[in-house]
Amino acid sequence: MRWLYLGVGITALLLGILGIFLPILPTTPFILLAAACFARSSERLHDFLLGNRITGPIIYEWCQYRSVSRRVKRWVYFMIILSFGSSILMVSSYWLKSMLIALLMILMFFIWRIPVRDTVIYSKEN
């Protein structure tokens, strides 16, 4: 079973990296899937993802609270609009444009449903 989790984790990580450059492939769900698989198969790879300055805080927030920060959510919206907007401008077929707009709306709805947790900064009183 450990090898299966490791294989799925590596595949998910590669798809997540590929999703950075491809507009329709989501990055964050694949990175979260990779982290979950690595937690069951490879402590070294799991620690690598948690120690990464970009993926670590997002994975930690999701594992602890099943939410994302407001900053991450804004960044996700920006990247989705940027990638889908450029794709919509590049295609010439109205059918493809409407399909991309429908996918954009569905994806935005799913992102909107993810809970947001405002991080509280505690100050040390003297």
Side-chain angles (χ1 to χ4, degrees):
M1 218 39 201
R2 182 178 177 190
W3 290 104
L4 179 65
Y5 280 122
L6 184 63
V8 171
I10 290 172
T11 303
L13 182 61
L14 292 174
L15 287 172
I17 292 169
L18 197 59
I20 295 170
F21 305 105
L22 297 176
I24 294 185
L25 200 60
T27 300
T28 305
F30 285 119
I31 299 298
L32 291 173
L33 176 62
C37 290
F38 291 154
R40 291 168 179 82
S41 64
S42 171
E43 187 176 332
R44 187 174 62 97
L45 290 172
H46 187 254
D47 289 344
F48 170 76
L49 282 181
L50 286 175
N52 186 291
R53 68 178 182 86
I54 296 171
T55 61
I58 297 169
I59 294 169
Y60 178 78
E61 180 78 23
W62 183 258
C63 289
Q64 287 297 110
Y65 306 106
R66 293 287 188 245
S67 65
V68 295
S69 70
R70 195 168 305 283
R71 184 175 148 257
V72 168
K73 205 169 197 180
R74 280 190 210 126
W75 181 251
V76 168
Y77 282 136
F78 172 73
M79 292 305 291
I80 289 171
I81 290 171
L82 182 69
S83 62
F84 271 87
S86 62
S87 297
I88 290 168
L89 291 175
M90 283 193 261
V91 297
S92 58
S93 168
Y94 287 113
W95 183 85
L96 287 175
K97 286 182 187 222
S98 51
M99 182 190 70
L100 285 171
I101 291 170
L103 286 172
L104 171 69
M105 293 300 167
I106 292 169
L107 187 58
M108 294 289 261
F109 174 73
F110 280 110
I111 299 299
W112 174 74
R113 292 188 62 220
I114 296 173
V116 172
R117 189 179 79 84
D118 291 323
T119 55
V120 178
I121 300 173
Y122 296 99
S123 63
K124 191 174 184 179
E125 293 184 12
N126 295 332

